[in-house]
Amino acid sequence: MTPLRPYDLRCEHLATARGLNTPAPRLSWALEGEGRDRRQTAYRIIVRDRVGERFWDSGVVASGDSQLVPYGGPALPADAELSWTVTVWDEAGQASSPSAPAVIFTGLGAEDWRAQWIARYFVLPAGREVPADNPYDNRWQARPADYLRRDFRAEDVPVRATLYVTALGLYEVWLNGRRVGADVMAPGWTDYHTRVEYQVHDVTDLVHGGDNVLGAILGEGWYSGRVGHNQRRAGNHYGGRPALFCQLHLHFADGRTEIVASDGDWQTRQGPICYSDFLMGEMYDARLELAGWSERPGPLLGWQPVEAFMPDPQAPQLDAARVQPAREVASLPGQFSHHARNGAAIFDLGQNIAGYVELTVSAPADARFTLRHAEMLDGERELYVANLRHAVATDIFIAAGTGEETFKPRFTFHGFRYVELALPDGIGAEDVGLTGIAIQTDTPVTGTIETGHAMVNQLLSNIFWSQRDNFLAVPTDCPQRDERYGWTADAQVFWKTAGYFMDVSAFLTKWMLDIEDGQSPDGAFPDVAPTKPLNPYRLTAQPGAPGWGDAPIIMGWQHWLRYGDRGLLERYWPAFERWMAHIGEANPDFVRHNAVYNNYGDWLSVGAASDRTLVATAYWYHVSDLMAEMARVLGRPADAARYRETAGNIAAAFRNSFLLPDGRLLGDTQTAYLLALDFGIIDDPAQAAAAQRLVELITQADGHLQTGFLGVRHLCPVLSAIGRDDLAMDLLLKDTYPSWGFSIRHGATTIWERWDGWTPEKGFQSASMNSFNHYAYGAVGEWIWSRIAGIDASPEGPGYAVIRLAPLFDPRLSPLSAQYQTTRGTVASDWRFEGDEVVWTIIVPPNSKGSLRLPAGWRCPDHAAASWQVGSGQWTYRLVPA
């Protein structure tokens, strides 16, 4: 038998750690190998420096652990580039070949920074000296981008050059005329008054001996540009001008290190980006391009000194990036569709995306191209832009007349499928190239699933794209209108689904810190994170509503189940406790009347509204139950007992307050019964009555759902739990209103915010809240993955040490194929009908076990019981009706 093979090496959840925030980073790897019952029995980690010298050797460690193994060597130096490999031994004592090396950039400590924050000298927030009729004037007072540069001399060619860079706002860095890296919207979004994350780039190949030029372009982004829906305070949430902070470290063969830092020696001016704003769009005038600005040493005309300054209210903490950068992840060619009434050409990407357009044209100087973006067309095939609210979502390109020219925005993005392109005279739609570029935080794709049902496959695609379009720096609600907040409830109901499609371990590691940064002194978690734009007039963040403020605890538990990351639970346990104390002190009778703030309830449900106090109290019970489980994991038995007691008191108060004498729950809604059943708040006989009433309510709705954001996640899982897989499957496959299939039947390529975002009878819903790219209702994805494909994590072996494999078979979905890359290795579940029988094949990765369970009505001739356990490897079963 061949040895095991370690692969997919990670440091703190990242394939390449570009800077560390801990002296003992944790290392992980996945395993693959032929045969069954394969397992690791030992490992050896070797860390080397850039030239291959051994820095640390763990020696052979007898252990099956491959997840989040702490580094145990000497203190890691700052400003170093290291690589590490792992060799593993299997159950027979065979050693693998060393893995492919993974790189770690150690980054800088607080004491290593010499840079200063630099910016164009302060003028009006619009960035203009005096309002004037020039290319930088615009009715939104959006700032032009600032270009910064400085030249430096390297007497020798460095053996290593590393750039450490961040910004208040957005940046793009250039070195000797070449773009550094492929990041977009860097450095991402944090509470800039508290912390910013810096990025690390190896630029050794870009530096040469002699004169060099380091340059940067700064945009407003989340820092000073428009974000959110508060038009009384549309921008400047953190400051009035973007700023740069960077250090270039040059290491030479003789051991010297020279540092080129941002300081008062830099120069600045404005250039072709006349303005760039998330909501307004970007205007680029190619006639104003600055030839040689990032590659020509020496003084250039029109450049002025920067100002080195201290940001208000204080300099933010500098952290290494905890998450993958945002990048361009897909290109979709735009197809000409038709001409609008105004004569502009309308192009269709065929997919709703978040990103921008790359436009290629050959046009005379002064030719103007205007691009407007929309998710939908109206009944007259014009762009539907009313739902953008105050977002203008318009980009403008003015040609320089130098032949073929390409325009692609740098510091804005839009949510769109359709593009209206206004063309100058003499140029037709056939004369331009138009490509949609999708961007996202580059969380690795981990799951692929395909069924034999076209609508379900489209639903899975819609869920995936809504996640892709909204996972940009933080998990936003929507990418198109004037909002784009990191709403916490939207994320928590979707988080289990999100983890199937993409690796969100690093993403949550970073965002959980944003949430904690927004926690109020009295313990209240926020509604959104980062918090500032939601309510800029509060001195503290807008406190979280039930289901919203509870989100960190729920996502923390999901993170533990999926990734086995005990460290995250330990890190945020004090913050979780402060939130629980905040609720408990306000509600001594164990009914959650108080400290509910903007109590949204089951947001955007259809039909009767659920009682908001019932929903709030149910969530309080749920997070109390999870806190007890976390306390058990963390070895805190007294805390576990305390939260068990709290949960018991809440359950008793829930029954007394909301369980009516006739056995129904107050409000009598689908969501009320779903939460009570899924959270386990009620026992038999009330539980059986609630299950029966839930089925009755669905039947009375002609077999349709009537849930909102909070209820939708529980719908199909609860129906399966009460033995009504048939009803859950029928709900999944419906295409009449309201249902997932209804939007798909009407052309949806992403998940809609509202079940009734558009209907044939009423047209578009209220433009004040009608996004066509919201992932919350995509939470049904977790049921498709965990129950139809049958792949799920287990608290008996978190991090997929034990894998629950319990599929549901339905000939309408045959054949089904699902593969999921866990941090331990690949798990797969494929099934297909052959006549009345089902052939089910599974793959369990090494170091994991599979806990199999057949659905009711099926049996395996090779196993007397309906459930059994297997080791790693590939297993195939022929199943017959029971």
Side-chain angles (χ1 to χ4, degrees), residues 204-271:
T204 307
D205 293 341
L206 301 182
V207 180
H208 49 246
D211 292 326
N212 295 262
V213 179
L214 179 60
I217 312 172
L218 295 181
E220 298 200 77
W222 294 279
Y223 181 74
S224 60
R226 285 167 174 77
V227 62
H229 63 272
N230 190 329
Q231 290 307 303
R232 293 174 180 265
R233 175 77 179 276
N236 294 323
H237 294 299
Y238 301 95
R241 56 175 170 169
L244 179 72
F245 194 88
C246 71
Q247 283 184 192
L248 174 61
H249 288 225
L250 305 175
H251 297 266
F252 297 95
D254 61 5
R256 287 180 298 120
T257 299
E258 295 181 4
I259 295 176
V260 180
S262 53
D263 57 22
D265 291 337
W266 288 57
Q267 292 186 310
T268 182
R269 69 164 295 170
Q270 293 167 344

Side-chain angles (χ1 to χ4, degrees), residues 69-89:
V69 176
Y71 167 80
L76 293 167
D79 186 30
E81 179 185 339
L82 306 173
S83 64
W84 68 284
T85 59
V86 63
T87 301
V88 301
W89 282 259

Side-chain angles (χ1 to χ4, degrees), residues 659-740:
L659 188 59
L660 304 179
D662 62 2
R664 297 185 180 185
L665 288 172
L666 183 68
D668 198 33
T669 63
Q670 291 181 13
T671 292
Y673 296 103
L674 290 168
L675 298 183
L677 290 166
D678 208 15
F679 294 162
I681 309 175
I682 53 178
D683 300 318
D684 277 334
Q687 192 175 68
Q692 180 180 343
R693 183 57 183 159
L694 173 64
V695 172
E696 290 173 356
L697 287 173
I698 294 172
T699 303
Q700 290 173 10
D702 196 25
H704 290 90
L705 55 82
Q706 294 197 317
T707 56
F709 273 31
L710 297 185
V712 68
R713 179 198 166 197
H714 306 278
L715 187 59
C716 290
V718 167
L719 288 173
S720 286
I722 65 173
R724 293 305 306 266
D725 293 323
D726 59 328
L727 191 52
M729 194 72 72
D730 287 347
L731 280 169
L732 177 72
L733 299 181
K734 274 198 182 307
D735 65 358
T736 49
Y737 172 80
S739 66
W740 295 280

Side-chain angles (χ1 to χ4, degrees), residues 800-881:
Y800 288 87
V802 175
I803 304 168
R804 288 180 174 175
L805 294 156
L808 295 176
F809 307 125
D810 189 303
R812 293 171 291 182
L813 272 64
S814 177
L816 180 143
S817 178
Q819 295 81 39
Y820 173 57
Q821 175 66 34
T822 78
T823 54
R824 293 174 173 270
T826 300
V827 57
S829 176
D830 298 352
W831 56 259
R832 69 182 186 276
F833 273 79
E834 291 186 355
D836 292 334
E837 298 180 349
V838 167
V839 177
W840 181 30
T841 299
I842 62 169
I843 296 174
V844 176
N847 259 17
S848 294
K849 295 179 180 179
S851 181
L852 284 62
R853 187 180 76 247
L854 298 181
W858 293 91
R859 67 180 180 88
C860 177
D862 297 331
H863 291 272
S867 61
W868 64 96
Q869 194 171 85
V870 298
S872 69
Q874 179 172 311
W875 308 81
T876 298
Y877 303 98
R878 183 170 288 274
L879 310 175
V880 298

